[in-house]
Amino acid sequence: MKKEHLISIFSMMLYLLYGTSVRAQDTIAPGPAVADTTIINSGRSNLQVGYGSQDRNKVTAAISTVEGSTLEKNFTLNAGNTLFGRLAGLTVSQGNSEPGAGVPSLLVRGRNTFGVNASSEPLVIIDGLISNGYNTANAFMQLQPEEIESVSVLKDAAATAIYGMRAANGVLLVTTRTGKEGALKVSFTTKHGFNQARYIPESLDSYNYGLLYNEALQNDGLPARYSEADLNAYKDRSDPIYHPDVNWYNEVLRPLAGVSSYDLTFSGGDPSVRYFVMLNALNSQGLYKKFGDDDEESSNSKFTRYNFRSNIDITLSRRLKAAFKIAGSLEQISNPFAYNTASTFSFLATLPPNAFPVYNTDGSYGGNTTYTQGNPVANLRSTGFFQTNARTILTSLKLTQQLDAITKGLSVSGVISINNYFKSGSRKTKQYPRYTAVKTPGGEDITVLVPGSQLTSLAGTEQTLDQYRNFIVQAFLDYQRTFGKSDVSGMLMFNKDNITFNAPPSDPTVPSANSTDPYKHNNGAGRLTYTYNDRYTGQFSFAYMGSDLFPKDRRYGFFPAGSVGWVASNEDFLQGSRQLNFLKLRASYGIVGNDNTIVPPSLSTRYAFTGTFGGGGYFFGTSNVPANGFAENVIANPNITWEKEKYLNIGFDATLFDHFSLSFDVFDRDRYDILVPSNSTTPLFLGVNTQNLNKGRSNNKGFDLSLEYSKNTRRGWQFYVQANVSYARNKVLFNAESLQINSQLYSTGGIIGQPLVYKFIGFYTQEDIDRRLADPKSVPAVLTETIRAGDLKYQDTGGPEGKPDGIIDGNDLMPIGKNAIPDLQVGLRGGFRYKSFDLDLVLQGVSGNTAYLGGSYFNAFQNNGTVSPIALGRWTPETAGSATYPRLSSRNNLNNFLGSSFWQRDGSFIKLRSAEIGYSLPLKISDKIKATTIRIFANGTNLFSLDHIEYGDPESPSGYPVTRTVTLGAKIQL
C-alpha cells in the first residue's frame, strides 16, 4: 500500500471521529536513516510534577525521570518490568515470570512502614489520575512502553504533598504520549522471540534418591528400603514401571515458549487538532508443554493482550482547549485447570523421581495413595481448563479556559474521568482416574485404581474474579506570570474520587468475596512558586484531604511542604564558567500521610472506628460447653488516623564540562502514627480482640545519586552512560510489642521486617550427644526432636538478657540477616551509536538483602518429598569437617529445617536487565518503500545474573521460573 493511500485512509478515520483530517501534502520528505536510540538529554526544559509541569531550573523537589522511548528496548508483559535500574530512588523487585500474573514490587526510597496490613507501594498517577489497583489490576502495569512519554518518581514532600494522605510512600507519575503539530507520523514495530527459564530446579535421579534414602533410614536406625537389585534397576532404567526414573520438570515444562508483539502508532496534527493513536497486540506462551494439543478438554498456557490508546488535543477557540483520552486493554489468559503457580511448583519440588511412572504400560496415568495431589502431567492435561478475561478502560475529558480577560496568565480547567477494570473467569473441570501398577501372585502385570480417583465429565462455572473502578472529578485554577525579574506561578485544585473494587483472591481459581463499599477521598490542594532573577526559588505546596476510612470528626488532615532552590550558576561569579555549566542547590521539608493501611480491604476491618460484633460463646454453671450468643469481636478505635511522615530532603543538580550531569539528594524520613497491635498496652485476658492503635514510629535515612555522561565525537561516535545509586536504611523507633524474656525478640531498634531466626553454630557431634546423656545441663535441650550427630546446633540465648536457659525454643530466635529489600541499589545504562549501528545495555545491582533457602526443594525427604543436589553436601562421620547440609533423615525432622541462619544467603546480585543492538538500513533501501527509517534489532531481557544463590534466583527462589526473553524485531517509520 502506498504511503499516500495510508494517509488518506487515516485522514478519513480522523475526520469521522474528530472532524479533522491530515493532508497528504503536509507530510515531510524522508530524512536520513537514524537509529531509534535515545541519547540522554538532561536539557529537557520541563519536568512533570504533581498536576502540572515546571521549568527544570525552577524545580526545587526531588524527582527522577526516565523517557518512555528508552523503555521500549526490552520485551516485558507489564510496564513495571521496564523500570529495573533506571530511576534513582525507585526499588523494583522482580516477581515471578508467570504470564499475566507476575508483577514486580515497587518501593520509593525503601520501606518506611510496618503497620498492620499497611502498604508500602507508591501512589500511581497516570495523566494526573489515580490508577492504583492491586497487582495486575493496576493500570500502569498494563501500559505499553510505546504509549508512555515519561515516568517520574516524586520522592520528597515538596513533590508529593499535594497528594496529601496518599503521598508518604512516594508517587509514580506516568505521562502518556500526545500528538504534536506537524505531518502524520506512522510507526510500526514488531518483535518475535522466545521465553526461556533462566533456572529450573534440579532433582537427583532415582538411583541417587534410593542411595540417599537408604542412608537416611540408616541414620534413623531403620532398615534399608532399596535393595541392590532395586538400585541397579534405577541405574540402568530397565524397569520403567516398577522402578521409574521421572524428571517431573522435564515432563511438565518445555525449554522455549514463543512471544510476539505488534505495535502501530499514528501521531501528528494541525493547530486545531493534535492526535496520538496506538494499537498493540502482545502474545506470550507459558512454559508448560502444550497439553491442550493432547486433550481437547484441556488448554495450552497462553497470555494475550490487546492495548489501544487515543489521545486527542483540540483547540476549540483562541482561549478554550479540550483534551480527550481513551485507552484500555483486552486480556485473555488460558491455562490447564489444575494450573496454580504455588501448588503446581510445590508439587514438582516435592515429588520423588521414583514415586510412580507418568503412564503405566496400558497407557493409564500412574499414581498412588501417598501423593494425593495426583499426577503432575495428568493434572495439567486431564482436569479441564481455566480461562480468564480482563478488560481495562481509562477515559478522561479535560477542558481548559484561558482567563486573560480577567488577568494575564490565569486559566481554569475541569476534568472528569471514569476508569474501570473487570476480570471474569470460566472454569471447566473434571477428574481423572490414576492407577498403581502391581504384579499378581502369578506374575501378571495389572493396574489398580487409586481410591478416590475417578473419571468425571466436564462441568463449567462462570465467575467474577476482580473488579476495580473509579470516578474522578477535578477542578484547577492556574496562574503563571512574569513581572520583570520575578516569575510567579500558582495552582489551586480540587480532586474528588470514588473507588470501588473487589479484592483479588489469593487463589486465582476462586472468585473474590471481598466486595467493598466505595472508597472516597476529597482533596483540596495548591502550589505557589516564586522565582527571582532566575536564581532564587521558593515554593509552598499543601493538601487538605479527607478519607471515609476515619471518623467524621477526624476525617480531614492538612499536609504542608516548603522548598527553596538557588541556581548558583546564574550568579555573576559563576556565569561563563566552562567547567561548571549549571549548579542548583535545593532543600525541602514537609508532612505527608499514608491512609492505605487496610490491605486487602475488608468490611470487617475497614471501619476500625466502629466495633464489630458476631457469634460468641458463653459458659454457664459448671459445663465446659458454651452457649451460643452474640459478642463484641473487635473493640472500636474512635481515634484511628492515618500514618504521618515528616520529610527532610537536601540536594543539588549540576552540569559539568557540557557533557556530565549529576544530581544528589540526602533524606531523612520520620514516620509516626503507624497502626500497630496494642500488645504492650492492652492485656489479652481482657477477653476480646483488642484494637490496633496509632503508636508505631520509624525512621528512614539515605541518599540518591544520578550521573549522566554523553558525547558526540568528530568521527561520528555517540556515547552515553547513565548511573544511579540509591541507599536507604530504616529503623523501627517504637512498636507496641508484648513483653519478651529475651530482649533480642523486640523489633524496636531493628530494621523493618527484620528476620528472627535461630543462630547456627555448627553440627552436633557424637561427643555432644554423649555429654548430654551424662549431664543433661551441659548441652541445651531441643524440645522438638531427639538430637543425633549431624543435626544443626543453635545458640542458646533464651534466658533474660540473652543468657542461656538450657532449652532451645522460640525464645532463642535472634535478629540475623536482613529482609529481601536491598539497602543499596545501583543502576547502569550505557550504549553508543556509530553510523547505522547502535547498542543499549541496562544493568542492575543490589546489596544489603538476604535470600532464604526454604521449602520442599531444600528439605530432603520431608513429608515424603524428594531430594535435591544441595543434599549431596550432607553431614556424615566422614564429612563432618566439610559438610554443607545436615544429616539425612527419613522422618520429618523438626530441628534441622527450622528457620535459622544456616539457610540464609547473601541476596546481592548483578543482573543484565536488558540489552539491545540495532542496525538502521541505508536511506536508499528505506526510500524504496517511502520510509524515513527502517531499523532491525535484537534484544534480550533478564539475560543473566551474577549472585550467590546456587539453586535458583535470589529474588524469586521458588514458584514459576524466572525467565529470560530474546526477540528479533523491526521498526518502520513513515
Side-chain angles (χ1 to χ4, degrees):
M1 182 181 294
K2 293 185 177 181
K3 182 178 180 182
E4 291 78 11
H5 294 166
L6 182 63
I7 294 173
S8 299
I9 294 172
F10 187 66
S11 299
M12 185 178 298
M13 292 171 58
L14 288 174
Y15 181 81
L16 293 174
L17 289 171
Y18 310 113
T20 188
S21 61
V22 179
R23 297 170 298 173
Q25 56 265 38
D26 289 336
T27 59
I28 59 175
V34 180
D36 182 30
T37 301
T38 301
I39 299 297
I40 293 172
N41 180 15
S42 298
R44 185 175 176 176
S45 58
N46 282 357
L47 282 179
Q48 294 297 319
V49 298
Y51 300 115
S53 63
Q54 284 186 336
D55 184 279
R56 179 182 291 271
N57 293 349
K58 298 173 184 177
V59 171
T60 55
I63 301 174
S64 297
T65 299
V66 62
E67 303 298 320
S69 56
T70 70
L71 305 181
E72 300 177 21
K73 301 183 180 302
N74 51 25
F75 188 101
T76 63
L77 302 183
N78 62 71
N81 284 333
T82 66
L83 301 179
F84 288 108
R86 294 184 181 272
L87 290 163
L90 181 67
T91 300
V92 185
S93 299
Q94 181 174 273
N96 71 63
S97 299
E98 180 184 356
V103 295
S105 169
L106 306 178
L107 290 176
V108 176
R109 287 180 165 175
R111 183 179 174 189
N112 209 34
T113 182
F114 54 92
V116 178
N117 291 327
S119 172
S120 295
E121 295 274 323
L123 178 70
V124 179
I125 301 292
I126 300 177
D127 291 331
L129 303 167
I130 184 173
S131 67
N132 282 58
Y134 288 102
N135 298 325
T136 56
N138 191 314
F140 168 66
M141 297 296 176
Q142 300 171 32
L143 295 182
Q144 285 298 113
E146 288 81 3
E147 61 187 306
I148 296 175
E149 180 69 28
S150 67
V151 178
S152 299
V153 179
L154 311 185
K155 298 182 287 190
D156 66 348
T160 64
I162 58 175
Y163 296 103
M165 63 177 65
R166 289 167 155 172
N169 294 331
V171 178
L172 195 72
L173 195 64
V174 183
T175 303
T176 62
R177 293 180 179 175
T178 57
K180 305 295 188 295
E181 186 176 336
L184 168 66
K185 296 180 180 179
V186 182
S187 176
F188 175 74
T189 305
T190 182
K191 302 175 185 178
H192 297 267
F194 60 85
N195 276 328
Q196 179 186 42
R198 226 177 40 77
Y199 175 83
I200 294 179
E202 299 177 8
S203 294
L204 298 181
D205 59 18
S206 293
Y207 173 74
N208 286 288
Y209 174 89
L211 283 177
L212 295 186
Y213 195 82
N214 280 348
E215 180 182 318
L217 290 168
Q218 182 181 5
N219 291 340
D220 296 331
L222 300 172
R225 178 175 179 179
Y226 299 103
S227 66
E228 280 297 322
D230 291 327
L231 295 175
N232 289 331
Y234 286 135
K235 191 172 185 178
D236 60 26
R237 300 178 180 177
S238 59
D239 184 14
I241 299 301
Y242 296 100
H243 294 84
D245 184 14
V246 182
N247 186 319
W248 291 106
Y249 286 99
N250 287 348
E251 294 295 330
V252 167
L253 303 178
R254 52 181 171 154
L256 300 175
V259 298
S260 63
S261 174
Y262 303 88
D263 187 86
L264 181 64
T265 65
F266 306 88
S267 65
D270 55 29
S272 298
V273 178
R274 278 92 41 212
Y275 53 87
F276 173 83
V277 178
M278 185 208 72
L279 300 172
N280 182 277
L282 186 68
N283 175 270
S284 178
Q285 300 176 23
L287 290 176
Y288 284 86
K289 289 186 175 180
K290 295 186 175 183
F291 295 107
D293 292 348
D294 300 330
D295 190 330
E296 64 180 8
E297 293 186 341
S298 181
S299 172
N300 293 332
S301 180
K302 185 178 180 181
F303 168 84
T304 304
R305 188 175 68 219
Y306 301 95
N307 284 64
F308 64 91
R309 174 170 293 277
S310 175
N311 289 352
I312 308 298
D313 296 286
I314 305 174
T315 301
L316 298 173
S317 68
R318 189 163 61 92
R319 291 188 174 87
L320 180 61
K321 297 180 180 180
F324 176 67
K325 303 179 188 296
I326 180 169
S329 64
L330 302 173
E331 178 182 288
Q332 179 171 300
I333 304 174
S334 299
N335 279 306
F337 173 68
Y339 173 79
N340 174 282
T341 303
S343 62
T344 297
F345 281 93
S346 177
F347 192 24
L348 290 176
T350 301
L351 192 60
N354 67 340
F356 46 79
V358 179
Y359 302 101
N360 295 310
T361 304
D362 60 5
S364 62
Y365 289 121
N368 56 45
T369 56
T370 301
Y371 300 97
T372 57
Q373 302 98 313
N375 178 319
V377 173
N379 288 349
L380 295 168
R381 182 181 176 185
S382 298
T383 57
F385 59 90
F386 181 51
Q387 289 184 341
T388 64
N389 293 273
R391 59 179 181 267
T392 302
I393 187 73
L394 308 173
T395 65
S396 67
L397 174 64
K398 181 177 182 179
L399 297 175
T400 301
Q401 175 70 51
Q402 299 294 330
L403 299 178
D404 290 342
I406 299 177
T407 184
K408 187 177 180 181
L410 184 66
S411 65
V412 62
S413 304
V415 181
I416 185 170
S417 172
I418 301 175
N419 302 327
N420 185 73
Y421 172 85
F422 180 81
K423 184 176 183 179
S424 62
S426 176
R427 292 193 297 163
K428 301 296 188 292
T429 65
K430 66 176 184 177
Q431 297 181 32
Y432 65 91
R434 57 188 190 277
Y435 298 84
T436 301
V438 297
K439 283 185 178 293
T440 65
E444 182 183 358
D445 292 323
I446 64 171
T447 55
V448 178
L449 180 69
V450 174
S453 68
Q454 57 184 340
L455 179 64
T456 63
S457 58
L458 202 66
T461 302
E462 308 299 318
Q463 54 194 206
T464 297
L465 294 173
D466 194 7
Q467 188 169 5
Y468 171 91
R469 61 180 181 272
N470 63 23
F471 176 73
I472 302 173
V473 176
Q474 295 177 341
F476 296 88
L477 187 65
D478 291 280
Y479 179 74
Q480 186 169 358
R481 187 82 177 271
T482 299
F483 303 92
K485 295 183 178 181
S486 297
D487 185 275
V488 180
S489 63
M491 181 269 293
L492 290 174
M493 64 88 61
F494 171 77
N495 179 92
K496 179 181 180 64
D497 56 69
N498 186 318
I499 299 174
T500 303
F501 55 90
N502 291 347
S506 57
D507 183 346
T509 65
V510 177
S512 171
N514 285 330
S515 181
T516 69
D517 293 343
Y519 280 63
K520 300 178 181 179
H521 288 83
N522 293 332
N523 182 27
R527 180 172 52 232
L528 176 63
T529 307
Y530 174 75
T531 301
Y532 178 74
N533 201 24
D534 289 330
R535 300 178 184 179
Y536 316 108
T537 299
Q539 179 176 288
F540 175 76
S541 57
F542 72 91
Y544 184 70
M545 178 177 281
S547 167
D548 70 329
L549 287 173
F550 308 105
K552 289 184 178 180
D553 58 343
R554 305 174 63 88
R555 194 161 282 177
Y556 283 84
F558 183 65
F559 305 90
S563 58
V564 293
W566 174 35
V567 183
S569 54
N570 284 346
E571 298 289 353
D572 294 338
F573 59 87
L574 285 178
Q575 281 189 345
S577 172
R578 294 183 178 180
Q579 295 79 24
L580 183 62
N581 311 114
F582 177 77
L583 175 63
K584 178 176 63 177
L585 308 178
R586 47 187 169 76
S588 68
Y589 182 80
I591 299 176
V592 288
N594 175 33
D595 74 333
N596 197 1
T597 56
I598 307 297
V599 182
S602 171
L603 289 176
S604 63
T605 58
R606 173 177 166 183
Y607 301 110
F609 56 86
T610 63
T612 61
F613 298 83
Y618 297 88
F619 295 89
F620 297 97
T622 58
S623 173
N624 290 325
V625 179
N628 293 331
F630 200 66
E632 186 175 23
N633 290 338
V634 179
I635 299 176
N637 178 7
N639 297 315
I640 191 169
T641 186
W642 51 87
E643 298 177 351
K644 303 174 183 66
E645 183 170 284
K646 297 178 181 178
Y647 207 141
L648 172 66
N649 190 94
I650 300 174
F652 70 88
D653 307 302
T655 302
L656 307 173
F657 305 104
D658 294 323
H659 301 289
F660 183 75
S661 299
L662 66 104
S663 179
F664 180 77
D665 289 271
V666 295
F667 59 87
D668 190 340
R669 305 166 61 186
D670 280 309
R671 190 169 295 197
Y672 56 101
D673 282 348
I674 298 175
L675 195 65
V676 296
S678 54
N679 293 333
S680 65
T681 59
T682 309
L684 294 178
F685 58 74
L686 188 63
V688 297
N689 294 324
T690 57
Q691 69 270 53
N692 299 316
L693 302 177
N694 297 100
K695 295 293 185 181
R697 291 184 290 114
S698 69
N699 177 263
N700 188 10
K701 296 178 181 179
F703 67 86
D704 303 329
L705 172 65
S706 295
L707 305 171
E708 298 180 358
Y709 177 81
S710 62
K711 187 176 182 179
N712 299 340
T713 69
R714 294 181 179 179
R715 295 184 178 181
W717 287 87
Q718 295 175 294
F719 299 94
Y720 58 94
V721 178
Q722 180 186 51
N724 62 78
V725 181
S726 306
Y727 177 81
R729 186 69 184 271
N730 57 52
K731 182 179 182 179
V732 177
L733 300 180
F734 179 76
N735 188 6
E737 302 169 88
S738 56
L739 296 178
Q740 301 287 345
I741 296 175
N742 185 354
S743 60
Q744 295 184 100
L745 298 178
Y746 291 116
S747 65
T748 299
I751 63 173
I752 296 173
Q754 170 67 60
L756 292 175
V757 298
Y758 296 96
K759 184 177 181 180
F760 169 69
I761 57 174
F763 296 98
Y764 280 99
T765 65
Q766 190 58 46
E767 288 76 12
D768 292 325
I769 306 303
D770 296 339
R771 188 154 36 94
R772 172 71 185 170
L773 292 174
D775 181 7
K777 294 183 179 181
S778 62
V779 178
V782 179
L783 301 181
T784 59
E785 190 75 22
T786 300
I787 296 300
R788 299 175 184 267
D791 286 333
L792 303 188
K793 185 194 299 184
Y794 306 120
Q795 185 168 334
D796 182 5
T797 61
E801 304 301 325
K803 296 179 181 179
D805 63 354
I807 299 174
I808 301 297
D809 59 13
N811 290 322
D812 295 289
L813 295 171
M814 300 175 63
I816 303 175
K818 299 180 180 180
N819 54 42
I821 301 172
D823 293 338
L824 179 67
Q825 176 177 276
V826 179
L828 178 65
R829 179 191 174 213
F832 70 85
R833 179 192 301 164
Y834 178 68
K835 294 184 178 179
S836 296
F837 293 93
D838 60 85
L839 174 70
D840 185 271
L841 303 172
V842 175
L843 292 101
Q844 179 199 22
V846 305
S847 181
N849 57 313
T850 297
Y852 193 86
L853 306 183
S856 303
Y857 182 72
F858 300 101
N859 301 347
F861 304 129
Q862 303 301 288
N863 298 307
N864 297 311
T866 189
V867 60
S868 60
I870 192 174
L872 293 175
R874 67 205 180 279
W875 185 98
T876 66
E878 295 74 27
T879 64
S882 60
T884 57
Y885 193 86
R887 73 173 180 95
L888 297 177
S889 175
S890 63
R891 297 172 174 174
N892 287 346
N893 191 295
L894 302 180
N895 175 77
N896 293 341
F897 302 110
L898 293 172
S900 72
S901 60
F902 179 83
W903 301 104
Q904 291 181 327
R905 300 291 187 273
D906 182 355
S908 60
F909 62 80
I910 298 175
K911 292 187 176 184
L912 180 58
R913 291 298 190 179
S914 70
E916 181 171 287
I917 185 169
Y919 175 75
S920 297
L921 272 62
L923 184 62
K924 61 182 180 180
I925 296 178
S926 57
D927 274 346
K928 292 183 179 181
I929 63 169
K930 308 299 182 181
T932 58
T933 302
I934 301 177
R935 178 173 175 266
I936 56 177
F937 56 87
N939 62 35
T941 302
N942 208 23
L943 291 177
F944 73 79
S945 173
L946 302 176
D947 55 60
H948 304 277
I949 309 300
E950 185 177 356
Y951 303 101
D953 187 274
E955 291 181 284
S956 185
S958 61
Y960 196 94
V962 173
T963 60
R964 65 167 59 91
T965 305
V966 178
T967 63
L968 295 175
K971 184 171 186 176
I972 302 174
Q973 293 178 303
L974 303 179

